[in-house]
Amino acid sequence: MLLTEERAAAKAAAQPGRRPRCDWLWGYGLIAPMALGLAVFYLWPIVQTLYLSFTESGVFGGQTWVGVDNFAALFGDEEMLGALRNTLLYSLLVLIGVPLAIVIAALLNVPGLRGLGFYRTLYFLPVVTMPAAVGLTWRYLYNGDFGLINYLLGEIGIDGPYWVSDPEFAIYAIAVVGIWSSLGYNAVLFLAGLQGIPKHYYEAAAIDGAGRMRQFFRITLPLLTPTTFFVMVITLINALQVFDLVYLMIDTKSPALAGSRTIVYLFYEQGFVQNSRGYAAAIAVVLLALILALTALQFRLQRRWVHYE
Amino acid sequence: MSRRWIVHAVLLAGGLIMITPFVWQLVVSLQTVTESMRMPPTPVPSWQWHNFADVFRTVPLGRQFLNTVIVTAAVTAGQLLLCSLAAFAFARLEFPGRGPIFLLFLAVLMVPGELFLLPRYEIMQGLGWLNTLQALIAPGVFGAFGTFLLRQFFKTLPRELDEAARLDGANPLQIYWWIMLPLVRPGLLALGLLTVMWSWSSLLWPLVVNTDPEMMTLSAGLASLRGQYLTNYPVLFAGSVVASLPVIVLFVVMQRQLIAGIAFTGSKG
């Protein structure tokens, strides 16, 4: 559909006199403001960050070229290795929320379900809530002494840890909040995907005597794989860049920071607290490489499990 | 029939988990400090309405609220105008280099936001714009995502529309403004709502570029409170409620349009 449209447009353009030449000027003129802004605030910064990552801030300001020193230093830096581990662990944990979103979407998609709007509001509320407020609230719920979570755990006989001040548990605690905040968003995407599955597949399956469960695993899940793939790509890209929740839930001097400092958190510390611009730029470049590599990997793996009609 | 009850039971149980933090935040925002640290937790507040007055008094919350409104409004208006102009050109006009330029726009989408921050900070420093609202607005009005999203909307409109208008002597700018823009209203609405949501809540950039509490947005303001008032959860939560309420209200009112927009980015994005 897209292709034929483009071809038709190309044909129209090839016919002389059909489109006035001044279209060119209009085209350039209308994209100019956006192109200029993207160049200044997006494209140029990319080039600049790449350059910075090979430099070191001088004592009197200015940058000196140090080659790959920053990158070499990064891979021997305990904090960076810890941040890599924490970020990957967090991302993996958040991906567990994806099947959860599929289940919620499938339940919301039950034909004739009453109260769809009500449930959608409930599940979507965390998505529209400011992450700063979300972080503060959960931090309170996680409090080791008077938090609701440990109180409830205590009721069933579990002695909960000091979640957000314990380096062992902090990243898991943050990941739960990450899942909680994105569940509604993902469920909305899955619901749209589910509604795109033609009804006649289910009708045919029902005639063949397939039960609800069998239909879910044999029809719904396979036909939903393009959406699942999209959601996983987006979720992973976002999870690899987590910052807000860590910043709000973990104190700057907390021992838990070692177990929960993420790549972007380290980038923030180095770039804007310590003012090591070059080092911070190198961290950002490593993050870019990580995101590109993992996204490319997902695109490679999709051939094995994504079904396109 | 019983199956339907199971569905409702599961959805309600999940919904309870989703909503509890909000309810708890509201409850604690109306408690005294002692109540908020009591064990077992007290689900009934003693209605300390003065917490809300306190948070406005102890931090420049009113100022930060105003800052956030100004920044969000300016960013959203700018995005809608600039993205729709560029999207219209990419979707409806022929010009050499259109494909490659559009690809360059898309490339920006693939790059994590952190790569822009250090150089942007230097730009703002150079302009003397640190601790100003324009430092928050200027980068925000440009966006590859919005251009891409609206281009999809412009592409769905029939070609006869521009041709008829051209025969009547309209130039592309007139076609854009009078004919096309009203027809892509659902797209503009979706982009507008998403931009409000992102802009209102964004943290990292406001945090680094504006360190003066008077120039902060609510998000950064709340974040900077967390160290100072950590023992005073009721006041902290009163601030959180004030900060997140506007977007929540907007969502409840415009729910259908926002969800449609997100679902659209899922299917076409």
Side-chain angles (χ1 to χ4, degrees):
Chain A
M1 158 96 185
L2 222 101
L3 263 178
T4 50
E5 219 172 86
E6 235 123 72
R7 220 172 280 148
K11 207 188 269 174
Q15 285 170 318
R18 200 110 189 264
R19 292 249 164 222
R21 182 74 25 136
C22 70
D23 248 27
W24 293 15
L25 285 179
W26 278 111
Y28 292 130
L30 296 185
I31 65 164
M34 180 59 80
L36 207 68
L38 288 183
V40 171
F41 289 113
Y42 291 82
L43 293 171
W44 171 242
I46 296 175
V47 177
Q48 192 66 12
T49 298
L50 286 174
Y51 162 74
L52 275 176
S53 71
F54 293 104
T55 67
E56 198 176 63
S57 313
V59 191
F60 304 105
Q63 305 290 127
T64 19
W65 184 265
V66 293
V68 295
D69 280 9
N70 287 328
F71 294 96
L74 269 183
F75 287 98
D77 181 347
E78 288 285 320
E79 283 192 345
M80 179 61 182
L81 297 178
L84 262 174
R85 173 200 157 268
N86 296 336
T87 307
L88 289 174
L89 179 59
Y90 174 85
S91 306
L92 207 66
L93 291 168
V94 169
L95 280 178
I96 295 174
V98 172
L100 219 56
I102 297 182
V103 172
I104 299 297
L107 292 176
L108 291 175
N109 198 37
V110 167
L113 180 87
R114 279 167 163 257
L116 175 67
F118 168 71
Y119 289 126
R120 206 172 46 191
T121 311
L122 279 190
Y123 283 89
F124 209 78
L125 220 45
V127 179
V128 294
T129 308
M130 181 181 283
V134 166
L136 289 176
T137 309
W138 276 89
R139 178 186 181 139
Y140 176 72
L141 295 174
Y142 274 127
N143 187 289
D145 295 317
F146 48 83
L148 182 66
I149 290 171
N150 274 3
Y151 169 71
L152 293 176
L153 286 176
E155 290 293 285
I156 54 169
I158 299 173
D159 194 12
Y162 284 75
W163 295 100
V164 289
S165 46
D166 188 324
E168 280 227 21
F169 292 97
I171 198 73
Y172 295 94
I174 298 169
V176 167
V177 185
I179 293 173
W180 176 83
S181 341
S182 58
L183 189 63
Y185 188 91
N186 291 344
V188 163
L189 291 177
F190 280 124
L191 193 56
L194 287 172
Q195 282 161 354
I197 298 176
K199 296 262 180 303
H200 61 83
Y201 284 110
Y202 293 105
E203 284 154 12
I207 290 169
D208 290 342
R212 285 279 168 112
M213 275 297 154
R214 216 178 145 76
Q215 288 181 22
F216 180 74
F217 284 104
R218 290 299 172 82
I219 298 171
T220 309
L221 280 188
L223 290 177
L224 200 60
T225 46
T227 311
T228 312
F229 174 65
F230 173 75
V231 170
M232 283 181 62
V233 169
I234 296 290
T235 303
L236 189 65
I237 290 178
N238 286 331
L240 289 168
Q241 295 179 67
V242 62
F243 168 78
D244 300 17
L245 292 178
V246 185
Y247 187 73
L248 264 304
M249 290 173 69
I250 311 290
D251 265 334
T252 41
K253 293 186 182 74
S254 165
L257 201 53
S260 57
R261 178 187 282 111
T262 57
I263 298 177
V264 176
Y265 193 98
L266 186 65
F267 164 79
Y268 165 76
E269 276 183 326
Q270 291 294 333
F272 297 101
V273 184
Q274 322 262 16
N275 275 320
S276 325
R277 297 282 148 83
Y279 201 59
I283 296 172
V285 172
V286 170
L287 178 68
L288 170 68
L290 189 68
I291 289 178
L292 289 181
L294 289 180
T295 306
L297 181 72
Q298 278 183 306
F299 269 90
R300 270 196 80 85
L301 289 178
Q302 69 154 337
R303 285 183 228 142
R304 303 233 182 111
W305 65 277
V306 178
H307 301 264
Y308 290 105
E309 270 177 273
Chain B
M1 205 61 226
S2 71
R3 183 177 281 132
R4 191 139 297 173
W5 281 111
I6 296 172
V7 171
H8 279 293
V10 174
L11 284 174
L12 271 178
L16 194 68
I17 297 175
M18 302 309 277
I19 198 90
T20 301
F22 290 99
V23 176
W24 213 250
Q25 188 188 46
L26 264 177
V27 166
V28 172
S29 74
L30 293 167
Q31 288 181 340
T32 62
V33 177
T34 332
E35 277 178 301
S36 74
M37 293 178 160
R38 199 180 287 161
M39 194 69 174
T42 342
V44 191
S46 54
W47 312 108
Q48 309 287 325
W49 292 104
H50 65 85
N51 286 340
F52 284 85
D54 287 353
V55 72
F56 275 96
R57 210 172 314 124
T58 45
V59 283
L61 194 79
R63 181 64 216 247
Q64 292 173 357
F65 197 97
L66 187 68
N67 290 345
T68 315
V69 170
I70 294 171
V71 170
T72 303
V75 165
T76 308
Q79 279 261 344
L80 289 179
L81 179 67
L82 298 179
C83 291
S84 67
L85 274 173
F88 167 77
F90 279 122
R92 316 295 298 196
L93 300 176
E94 301 283 341
F95 50 92
R98 185 176 70 164
I101 298 173
F102 188 66
L103 276 182
L104 207 59
F105 272 44
L106 283 188
V108 165
L109 272 179
M110 311 287 288
V111 177
E114 290 73 28
L115 261 84
F116 313 131
L117 294 188
L118 292 163
R120 274 187 199 169
Y121 184 87
E122 278 165 11
I123 294 174
M124 295 307 163
Q125 209 168 20
L127 290 169
W129 280 10
L130 294 179
N131 283 312
T132 64
L133 292 187
Q134 57 270 34
L136 300 178
I137 297 167
V141 298
F142 305 103
F145 169 79
T147 308
F148 179 70
L149 179 73
L150 291 182
R151 175 176 169 270
Q152 301 295 97
F153 278 91
F154 279 116
K155 273 182 103 72
T156 59
L157 304 177
R159 201 141 270 282
E160 291 74 35
L161 273 178
D162 350 23
E163 265 147 30
R166 270 166 199 266
L167 287 179
D168 289 342
N171 68 38
L173 193 61
Q174 290 166 323
I175 297 174
Y176 156 82
W177 186 256
W178 295 109
I179 299 170
M180 298 281 167
L181 216 46
L183 293 173
V184 295
R185 210 175 284 155
L188 293 173
L189 199 61
L191 176 63
L193 288 169
L194 288 171
T195 309
V196 168
M197 214 169 88
W198 289 329
S199 175
W200 188 272
S201 299
S202 82
L203 178 64
L204 191 47
W205 175 244
L207 199 64
V208 298
V209 86
N210 287 2
T211 45
D212 172 6
E214 293 278 329
M215 282 294 142
M216 280 182 180
T217 54
L218 286 166
S219 216
L222 268 187
S224 68
L225 270 186
R226 88 204 193 295
Q228 277 172 276
Y229 290 88
L230 199 54
T231 45
N232 196 340
Y233 274 106
V235 167
L236 211 52
F237 285 0
S240 302
V241 170
V242 171
S244 32
L245 208 59
V247 178
I248 291 180
V249 170
L250 182 74
F251 160 68
V252 171
V253 177
M254 309 287 284
Q255 202 188 141
R256 199 175 293 276
Q257 289 85 347
L258 180 64
I259 300 249
I262 287 172
F264 183 87
T265 62
S267 60
K268 301 277 167 76

